Amino acid sequence: MNRTQISVFHSEDLDLKAIVYYNTNTDKYEVDYAKNGFLVTTESYDGHSLLYHEDAAENYVYGIKKIEGKMS
């Protein structure tokens, strides 16, 4: 997988982290969501811009976006 890191977001307590990547294989942006240093999930929002992916990442570290049914 060829991914280029675009941006990184952290919660104030550093428990939550979201990294936005550009995947050159798929020509799509992806967001890795992590909690306490462990990857929870990776999501990509088809048809949406880099800004949309960065907003989702930021919402996760601010506690607005919840990752349901995933590791807590």
Side-chain angles (χ1 to χ4, degrees):
M1 180 178 350
N2 290 327
R3 300 194 311 169
T4 302
Q5 183 176 305
I6 304 295
S7 51
V8 180
F9 300 87
H10 296 274
S11 59
E12 284 188 29
D13 61 8
L14 302 178
D15 286 348
L16 302 177
K17 182 178 180 179
I19 306 173
V20 179
Y21 294 94
Y22 177 72
N23 187 324
T24 57
N25 291 339
T26 62
D27 194 33
K28 296 179 182 179
Y29 295 104
E30 301 172 344
V31 184
D32 282 358
Y33 297 101
K35 184 171 184 178
N36 298 320
F38 295 97
L39 180 64
V40 176
T41 192
T42 299
E43 294 183 351
S44 181
Y45 310 103
D46 288 344
H48 289 284
S49 67
L50 170 61
L51 182 58
Y52 186 94
H53 285 77
E54 288 180 323
D55 285 346
E58 192 172 43
N59 286 342
Y60 174 71
V61 301
Y62 286 150
I64 298 166
K65 176 179 175 52
K66 306 293 183 189
I67 307 290
E68 298 298 328
K70 309 284 182 180
M71 180 181 167
S72 56

